[in-house]
Amino acid sequence: MPHDAAVSSVSSRLKLLALFAVFLLPMAVAWGMVEWRLGIPEGRIAHGQLTPDLPALEDWPLAEVAKQGEDDWVLAFDCPADCDAQADRWWRLHRALGRDAHRISRLRLGGSGEVLPGAAAAAWTEAAAWRSPGRLWVFDPDGRAVLAYAPDVETAQVLEDLELLLERNPESPMARLHAE
């Protein structure tokens, strides 16, 4: 009988140690990761180019800049003379945002022809140093340029960045009431 009691005591102690390990081991591993910077990703980088030096949209040499909602992000693309395919591409991206599509306004800069539904057009009044035909810019609700994309960027990359921006900058709960 004493042998059974000793085995039971060892078994109980092993169970207790296993329980401590279950709770303390993750904290020790996390502390080690933070202390020695092991296994921590360097961070996510946007697919577009960050543009902190560009002036606010209201300071761009454009005529009649308009967006649909006061708190909208703006997706502005510099349209060369013939940009129907590009305009359609950004229209489709806008639709792909689904329930967050109402938080984005599209703005075609330059170009001619009919503007697609849900977009506004603005004409350049003079050439800007940063102007680049085919380039796409993303502006925050305050009109600051956040990201710029080259004409050959993949649409999926822009969509991924926009979804992340909208997720990290949630809509104010009062925004829908204010709009009504």
Side-chain angles (χ1 to χ4, degrees), residues 1 4 6 15 27 29 32 50-51 63 66 68 71 73 75-76 78-79 82 85-86 95 116 130-131 146 172-173 178:
M1 213 53 164
D4 289 341
K15 287 179 184 176
M27 290 187 349
V29 169
L50 297 174
T51 56
Q68 293 173 349
D71 296 327
W73 290 72
L75 196 63
D78 194 348
C79 186
D82 183 30
Q86 185 182 18
R95 295 297 113 213
L116 290 177
W130 60 89
R131 183 177 182 199
V146 178
S172 164
H178 188 321

Side-chain angles (χ1 to χ4, degrees), residues 59-152:
D59 297 331
W60 283 30
L62 297 168
E64 299 182 33
V65 174
K67 59 182 189 175
Q68 293 173 349
E70 185 178 316
D71 296 327
D72 279 5
W73 290 72
V74 177
L75 196 63
F77 59 98
D78 194 348
C79 186
D82 183 30
C83 66
D84 292 340
Q86 185 182 18
D88 183 63
R89 176 183 178 195
W90 302 131
W91 178 83
R92 290 178 188 280
L93 172 114
H94 193 190
R95 295 297 113 213
L97 286 168
R99 66 181 178 150
D100 283 329
H102 72 279
R103 297 181 58 200
I104 300 282
S105 289
R106 282 179 292 116
L107 178 64
R108 185 184 77 190
L109 308 175
S112 60
E114 197 68 27
V115 178
L116 290 177
W124 291 98
T125 57
E126 62 184 69
W130 60 89
R131 183 177 182 199
S132 176
R135 185 168 290 274
L136 174 75
W137 292 277
V138 176
F139 293 90
D140 70 6
D142 295 327
R144 295 180 300 244
V146 178
L147 293 170
Y149 296 92
D152 59 346

Side-chain angles (χ1 to χ4, degrees), residues 119-177:
W124 291 98
T125 57
E126 62 184 69
W130 60 89
R131 183 177 182 199
S132 176
R135 185 168 290 274
L136 174 75
W137 292 277
V138 176
F139 293 90
D140 70 6
D142 295 327
R144 295 180 300 244
V146 178
L147 293 170
Y149 296 92
D152 59 346
V153 68
E154 291 183 33
T155 308
Q157 292 177 337
V158 178
L159 178 62
E160 186 179 327
D161 286 350
L162 280 175
E163 287 173 337
L164 184 64
L165 278 171
L166 294 175
E167 177 185 326
R168 298 281 165 95
N169 297 282
E171 184 176 29
S172 164
M174 300 302 285
R176 291 200 182 226
L177 294 175

